[in-house]
Amino acid sequence: MRIVFMGTPDFARSILEHLITSGENIIAAVTQPDKPFGRKKTMAPPPVKEYALAHGIPVYQPEKLKDGSFAGTLAQLDPELIIVVAYGRILPNYILDYPKHGCINIHASILPRWRGAAPIQRAIMAGDTLSGVTVQYMAEGIDTGNVIGKVETPIPEEMDYGMLHDQLAKDGCQAITQVLADIRGGTVVREVQNDSLATYAAKIENPDCILHFAASAAEVHNRIRGLSPVPLAITMMPDGRKLKIAAAIRTEETSSAAPGTVIAMDKKGIRIACGDGVICVTEVQPEGKKRMRAADFINGRAIAVGDILTEPAL
């Protein structure tokens, strides 16, 4: 089949790599325009663009799709199938209706749970114990189409966003391999989503990164791991400096101290009282510095028992 691949971030790049190494006929990659990156605002290409160009695949980066300006290019490419993975835009009908085998989307959740932009982070932040990937025929709306394949994976308590991201990328490769075999064999089975079970995974915004120690230790822990390794959860120290929390573990301790109070510090980390329970912070990233072990941060005497960590203004 003549396949056009549409995707943007690392998650999509992993799927594209699998398709290419599996021998699929990827005739073009469509991705978002380059964007400024870092303090110097240097223009950086999306991971999909970098990988596609390195393997001789033509790359298209349309600024808009809804205005129909991509229709001519689509007709020239003449794909039989379009595979979409975290592309970042809703596709208009002239694209959805073009390929004879349709447009299929690989989504990083078990739909209809966590439709939308940030399914991996939201699943962990909500304390879900199960995730996976879903392959679906695309329809109008956000992740609402008929399901044609899925692979489930557990979310252990120690798993963070980065770990689950990498696992789901592998699951996505497994799922699309089976779906492509089903399409070729004419054995695709469609499953209509139950919209009453749908939840929405909104994009991660700055307020989502603020730690609220008045919440339970479980909720605080889930937020920390759901935002690690990027963009990281944030709190504020008594001196007004922000402190990003990169990793933590839940403890069996209880505390009557006010939420956010540092109740103990040792080589294992920084133990902080929550609204219900205690967490032990094991890795941090101080303002303007690199990620480090909490034990090393303690040795720098930047924090003390009795300090109260508060919510920063963003």
Side-chain angles (χ1 to χ4, degrees), residues 49-285:
K49 176 182 179 179
E50 288 187 306
Y51 190 85
L53 291 178
H55 290 78
I57 295 172
V59 172
Y60 299 88
Q61 296 175 277
E63 291 285 347
K64 297 180 180 180
L65 293 176
K66 289 184 178 181
D67 62 0
S69 59
F70 190 66
T73 301
L74 184 66
Q76 290 178 349
L77 294 171
D78 193 26
E80 298 171 278
L81 176 71
I82 295 177
I83 297 176
V84 182
V85 187
Y87 175 60
R89 289 180 181 167
I90 295 176
L91 302 189
N93 285 333
Y94 76 87
I95 295 178
L96 295 177
D97 296 339
Y98 189 94
K100 71 176 183 180
H101 292 297
C103 290
I104 60 176
N105 175 50
I106 303 173
H107 184 74
S109 79
I110 299 299
L111 293 171
R113 186 161 178 79
W114 300 126
R115 295 172 176 172
I120 306 176
Q121 297 98 320
R122 295 294 178 184
I124 296 177
M125 291 165 68
D128 289 5
T129 58
L130 183 69
S131 184
V133 294
T134 302
V135 185
Q136 55 157 349
Y137 276 120
M138 298 184 71
E140 289 188 70
I142 299 175
D143 303 318
T144 56
N146 291 346
V147 173
I148 55 174
K150 66 178 68 173
V151 174
E152 296 183 346
T153 193
I155 309 176
E157 187 173 310
E158 69 276 7
M159 180 175 272
D160 64 20
Y161 161 55
M163 297 172 190
L164 184 56
H165 171 281
D166 293 349
Q167 179 58 51
L168 294 184
K170 295 177 183 177
D171 293 344
C173 295
Q174 177 185 339
I176 192 61
T177 296
Q178 182 59 56
V179 165
L180 289 175
D182 292 342
I183 290 174
R184 290 188 172 98
T187 57
V188 172
V189 176
R190 295 173 177 257
E191 175 188 343
V192 178
Q193 294 188 45
N194 184 346
D195 290 340
S196 68
L197 301 177
T199 57
Y200 182 68
K203 180 183 176 182
I204 300 297
E205 304 285 1
N206 286 340
D208 295 310
C209 299
I210 296 175
L211 281 177
H212 306 281
F213 287 106
S216 70
E219 292 173 297
V220 172
H221 181 235
N222 290 339
R223 187 170 296 269
I224 290 169
R225 64 195 184 101
L227 298 170
S228 184
V230 289
L232 295 180
I234 303 174
T235 188
M236 188 170 67
M237 297 190 296
D239 63 6
R241 289 183 296 169
K242 293 176 183 176
L243 180 67
K244 293 184 177 181
I245 309 298
I249 57 175
R250 290 175 59 188
T251 75
E252 298 299 323
E253 296 177 72
T254 60
S255 175
S256 60
T261 301
V262 177
I263 61 172
M265 300 189 301
D266 54 33
K267 63 182 180 180
K268 293 182 180 179
I270 305 166
R271 297 201 290 283
I272 303 171
C274 299
D276 176 17
V278 174
I279 64 161
C280 180
V281 172
T282 57
E283 293 185 56
V284 299
Q285 184 176 336

